[in-house]
Each structure stands twice: as C-alpha cells, then as structure tokens.
Amino acid sequence: MRLGSGEAAMTRILEDERRGDLVAPIGIFLLVASLYSLTSPGRIDTGDGLQRYEATKNWYDKGIPEIDDPELTPASFPGLEGKRFTGYGAPASLLGIPFIALADLFAPRNEEVRRFAFGFVSPALGAALSALTFWFFRTLGVGRRAAIGWALAACLCTLLWPVASSAFDQVQHAFFVTLSAFLAFESAQRRRPIVALTGGLSLGVAILYQEHYAILAPLLGIACFAPGEGWRSGFRRYAAFGVGAAAGLGLWAWYNYFRSGQLVVENRFGFGTVLPPLRGDPIDGALSLPGSP
C-alpha cells in the first residue's frame, strides 16, 4: 500500500513537472513578446525593413515579391521581365504575409496599418526564441527556475532586445539557427534521424535568409552524435541533418533563379556593389575571420 502511495506521489510530481514545462514557456513568450512589442517604434525603422516589407506586400497583393517603389529600387537588383527584386531571402517576406493579412482584417489595404503590423514579425520570432531557449536549457538538464532565468537573461540582457524590437531580421535568423541546434541535439537523445532531418531543414530556412549560414551545417550537425554510441547511427542522423540543410541551399538557388534566371545573383543589393567571390585567398580568410570583431 505504501508503494502504491509512493507511485501515485511520483506520478503527481512528474505531471506537475510536465505541466510546468508547458506553462513556463508560454509565460516567457507572452512576457517577452509584450516587452519587445511595447518598446518597438511602431513603424518600419530601417531601409532594410522597407525593402522586405515592399517584397512582402507585393507577394501578398500580386503573387510576386517585386520591388516597385522608385525610392527603393536603387537597393534592388534587376530580374526577369524587367522587374526588380530585393536581395533578401524568401523567409523575410513570407513570414510577414500573415501579419499583413491580419492588418487587412481591420483596415483593408491601409499602408500605415500594414507597416505597423509588419513591424511585429521580429518581436514575435524573438519571443518564440525565448521560449525555445527555455526548452533547450531544460533538455540540457537545467532546473526550471534556472532555465527561466537564463532564458530571460538571454532575451532581455543582450543585444537581442533592441534588434528584436526593430525591423532588422537577425533575430529571425537566430530563432531558426537555435531551433536547428536544438533539434540536432534532440535527435541524438531520441536516436531519431527524422528529428535530425527537421533540424537540418530549420537550418535550411536560415540559409534561405542568408546563404552563408550553410557554413554552420557541418558544425551544428555534430550535435546529432550521442556519447557512447556507435558512429554509424550517429552518422545516419548527421547525414539526415545535412540533407535538410542542403535542401535549404537548393531552395535558395531556386529562389534566385525564379527571380533573375541565375542561380547566384552577385549584385543583389544594388548600388553597384558586388559581393566578394565564393572562392578567395584562404590565408587572408583564415587570418581575418578569427581576428575580426
């Protein structure tokens, strides 16, 4: 009888733990989303944000992410059929479409309301990142209170706050890269290649934002290996992670081709600037990257 009571008590403790791990990230998300939103300017405060908004608006209204505002065309590149496009990746525009659609429910095709709503994309992803950070700490074995504290510290005591409350999209990159690392680690804990594939696809979304995130794939994939496990099982998950990341790189190339007819657009940010070639002086790169801020 005592054993049964002990089992019942343990079951209640486990249920409370699970309930707490579900409630805590919701509370963190709501708190951080409120702070990020209330401290945002309520407008698109960067030229980069205006570029992404223009592409999002036209994708929603016309079905193509073109740039047709004469004030913004100098920072765009010429594409097919005489249209001009932003150099920013597809997710930066796609994630804004639900926010514009929501704005149209209250004020159809009102530009100011649309821009106001578009400004909440980064606060929303930043708040989601705070909840994800909590889950990641819990998965690593950190206590709930400490995980809450560290998640809030990461989101409220770093540069993440000012970036997330602006129209910059770096916090969106951070969410998908962190999700990728989390899923790679989870795939090792659960011994599930499908979870590793999902982690690779998450990194693929980051690659769709900026192709240089592909450099992270071989490193983040290491989290797919579990300690004390044979290398073959870990390598299967590592390969699945790589397939997901490669899919993102392939979609990045297709998105370029869809807009310009080229797999790689060198002068995609306009103003006559050309990105450095993919291949350069390896000695210069090795010395510059470790020593740069």
Side-chain angles (χ1 to χ4, degrees):
M1 191 70 180
R2 281 195 297 254
L3 181 60
S5 300
E7 289 177 347
M10 182 60 67
T11 300
R12 284 196 298 271
I13 292 172
L14 292 175
E15 289 177 351
D16 290 342
E17 282 288 312
R18 295 191 192 99
R19 191 179 300 111
D21 284 347
L22 289 175
V23 173
I26 295 174
I28 293 172
F29 174 86
L30 293 175
L31 173 63
V32 174
S34 299
L35 292 174
Y36 284 176
S37 299
L38 290 171
T39 54
S40 67
R43 57 184 172 81
I44 300 176
D45 55 349
T46 68
D48 299 342
L50 287 173
Q51 283 271 333
R52 294 192 301 276
Y53 168 76
E54 184 76 6
T56 301
K57 179 190 70 172
N58 287 328
W59 210 340
Y60 180 68
D61 290 339
K62 304 178 182 179
I64 185 168
E66 66 172 324
I67 301 294
D68 55 10
D69 187 336
E71 297 294 327
L72 299 175
T73 52
S76 60
F77 67 86
L80 298 175
E81 300 179 359
K83 295 180 171 60
R84 299 192 70 87
F85 299 92
T86 178
Y88 292 95
S93 298
L94 287 173
L95 285 176
I97 288 178
F99 290 81
I100 289 182
L102 183 62
D104 280 358
L105 291 177
F106 297 93
R109 292 184 177 271
N110 185 304
E111 279 294 300
E112 292 305 316
V113 177
R114 282 181 162 189
R115 293 186 181 195
F116 176 76
F118 183 82
F120 290 102
V121 177
S122 285
L125 267 292
L129 176 59
S130 67
L132 175 61
T133 304
F134 167 82
W135 271 320
F136 207 158
F137 278 124
R138 289 293 285 152
T139 303
L140 291 170
V142 178
R144 187 187 302 143
R145 289 186 179 181
I148 292 173
W150 282 114
L152 292 177
C155 294
L156 302 180
C157 303
T158 67
L159 289 176
L160 191 62
W161 189 343
V163 174
S165 60
S166 74
F168 286 113
D169 64 344
Q170 277 77 7
V171 69
Q172 301 172 37
H173 308 180
F175 172 79
F176 288 105
V177 171
T178 306
L179 179 61
S180 174
F182 172 71
L183 291 173
F185 180 78
E186 275 285 281
S187 73
Q189 303 303 303
R190 300 186 182 188
R191 309 297 199 268
R192 298 289 300 277
I194 188 65
V195 179
L197 175 63
T198 308
L201 290 172
S202 180
L203 182 61
V205 176
I207 293 171
L208 279 168
Y209 275 100
Q210 296 286 349
E211 70 277 12
H212 58 254
Y213 284 112
I215 299 173
L216 296 178
L219 300 175
L220 289 179
I222 295 174
C224 294
F225 290 92
E229 181 188 38
W231 69 270
R232 290 185 179 179
S233 298
F235 185 78
R236 280 196 292 268
R237 294 191 296 270
Y238 187 83
F241 184 90
V243 168
L249 189 60
L251 285 173
W252 169 81
W254 175 84
Y255 187 60
N256 287 336
Y257 188 80
F258 162 74
R259 296 179 297 171
S260 68
Q262 304 174 36
L263 294 178
V264 178
V265 181
E266 293 186 348
N267 187 22
R268 68 175 190 263
F269 289 105
F271 295 117
T273 58
V274 179
L275 295 177
L278 294 177
R279 292 180 296 178
D281 186 343
I283 298 178
D284 181 50
L287 293 175
S288 300
L289 290 176
S292 68

